[in-house]
């Protein structure tokens, strides 16, 4: 399967790219608004994997070029860039599945808080911006980018997958479970995305207030 | 330490009472609006523990009587009864710490959703209803009552403790960690309670959509 990571030069994009490159045989393409930045990051990821004795080819291209090639397109961009990013690749998505991992947060003196968009969730923002017929799936909202990118770190995390298209959701769950230590759980339809996204500020607050805990994820049990 | 569990005849109250009775030497008193119901539940809890070879005395009295005796008062009532319950014991709290485990949820065809009160969280509703000077701590929001009450079930859960009074929070963290398999983590001030409460509908949604998972809690790692 070919996976495009839009905003693949950012921290969560880096983590997903490195993990999929390490643990699976999927073809990865890094997208960015700036093709040169994308190519630089792709070369960095190849080098990181080569250091671990794993030879992979990762291309870096513009977001629309990346989207045009892929079966699954992950919009690994901040929530405030999500609508623009999805609209910029709308004509290139073809039959691809669009995956949204973004969370909107605001910070005050007490901690981080979930900043819920009027449409219900950031994942539903992505769905609203996507072309009709493109299946949209929410996933990877609660992964700590720092640990995800550190290939020496083992994961023992769950990711909750939400969406209204069962086949698309099953594909994304399989992709997620290709990453060692990651278990994909079904969170139900897109309308349940807010509760998933709201877990991310909690993870940050807990990490800030407890010595020895950082880069947190969760396991449901 | 003496712990009063207001609404201690309900499911989360039962679970907390049984676990503290099993795992600690704290004195427990069950409160209810109806003294007879409280006494019946207290006798049931004593019998459950006796079946396991553990002899404990649990009293069952009205909520105000329970509050008057206790060092820590847990308002284990549904969110829509919380303000009334706290106001009914306000004159009896003395120097006690008030603990709020309640979460407001609404359910639709998609799943359960967090029903955030205008004051920010249900825990802050409790704080607003409490007398001035009573320290209010949010805890035990994310525990599945069914498993908590099943003393044969082992727990491997975290509970996030929020509050503005550091000493009160430390006391409640110690109480929580007295329960075997429960780890208490600091979530910061009361203003961070919404993100903690919002985890509960997610736990329910995940349990509903994944075969083999039920009565879920989380561990942060």
């Amino acid at each position: 399967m070919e996976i495009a990571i839009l905003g693949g030069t950012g921290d969560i994009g880096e983590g997903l790219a490195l993990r999929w490159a390490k643990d699976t045989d999927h073809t990865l393409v890094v997208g960015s608004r700036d093709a040169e930045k994308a190519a630089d990051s792709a070369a960095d990821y190849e080098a990181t994997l080569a250091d671990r004795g794993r030879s992979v080819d990762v291309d870096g291209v513009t977001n629309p070029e990346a989207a045009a090639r892929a079966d699954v397109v992950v919009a690994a961009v901040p929530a405030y860039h999500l609508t623009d990013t999805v609209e910029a690749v709308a004509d290139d998505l073809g039959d691809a599945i669009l995956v949204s991992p973004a969370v909107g947060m605001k910070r005050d003196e007490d901690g981080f808080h979930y900043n819920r968009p009027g449409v219900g969730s950031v994942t539903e923002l992505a769905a609203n911006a996507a072309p009709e017929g493109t299946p949209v799936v929410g996933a990877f909202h609660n992964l700590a980018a720092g640990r995800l990118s550190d290939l020496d770190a083992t994961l023992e995390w769950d990711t909750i997958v939400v969406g209204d298209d069962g086949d698309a959701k099953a594909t994304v769950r399989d992709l997620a479970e290709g990453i060692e230590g990651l278990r994909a759980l079904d969170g139900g339809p897109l309308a349940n995305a807010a509760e998933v996204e709201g877990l991310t500020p909690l993870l940050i607050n807990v990490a800030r207030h407890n010595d020895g805990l950082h880069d947190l994820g969760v396991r449901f049990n």
Side-chain angles (χ1 to χ4, degrees), chain A:
Chain A
M1 196 157 291
E2 182 148 7
I3 309 172
I5 305 181
L6 312 185
T9 61
D11 59 358
I12 187 76
E14 175 181 1
L16 288 170
L18 290 177
R19 291 280 171 176
W20 274 318
K22 177 173 90 67
D23 295 337
T24 76
D25 291 321
H26 300 305
T27 302
L28 295 165
V29 54
V30 170
S32 171
R33 282 178 298 181
D34 177 341
E36 198 176 334
K37 273 183 65 183
D40 286 348
S41 289
D44 283 348
Y45 304 161
E46 287 178 347
T48 298
L49 273 296
D51 283 347
R52 307 178 66 89
R54 186 156 169 81
S55 170
V56 291
D57 284 317
V58 183
D59 284 350
V61 297
T62 65
N63 283 332
E65 289 175 83
R69 289 165 46 168
D71 305 297
V72 174
V73 175
V74 181
V77 297
Y80 51 85
H81 278 319
L82 182 59
T83 296
D84 285 354
T85 302
V86 173
E87 287 174 355
V89 302
D91 293 340
D92 304 284
L93 283 169
D95 295 328
I97 297 166
L98 179 66
V99 178
S100 178
V103 172
M105 289 184 280
K106 56 193 170 196
R107 181 186 189 162
D108 61 22
E109 67 272 20
D110 299 307
F112 284 76
H113 304 289
Y114 178 43
N115 196 8
R116 186 177 181 173
V119 297
S121 65
V122 176
T123 307
E124 286 162 291
L125 271 186
N128 288 358
E132 212 178 313
T134 293
V136 175
V137 173
F140 312 118
H141 297 101
N142 309 313
L143 308 182
R147 195 181 314 178
L148 199 66
S149 300
D150 174 5
L151 296 182
D152 291 323
T154 55
L155 310 180
E156 203 187 340
W157 287 342
D158 290 334
T159 186
I160 311 296
V161 179
V162 291
D164 296 337
D165 181 315
D167 291 339
K169 204 156 58 165
T171 298
V172 175
R173 288 182 66 178
D174 284 345
L175 286 185
E177 298 214 324
I179 295 176
E180 209 174 291
L182 199 60
R183 180 175 67 164
L185 297 175
D186 187 354
L190 276 187
N192 291 349
E195 281 72 27
V196 184
E197 296 173 9
L199 177 54
T200 300
L202 179 62
L203 294 172
I204 299 173
N205 292 339
V206 170
R208 290 177 73 212
H209 286 282
N210 295 274
D211 290 341
L213 296 185
H214 50 92
D215 276 347
L216 292 177
V218 290
R219 177 127 290 184
F220 292 73
N221 65 55

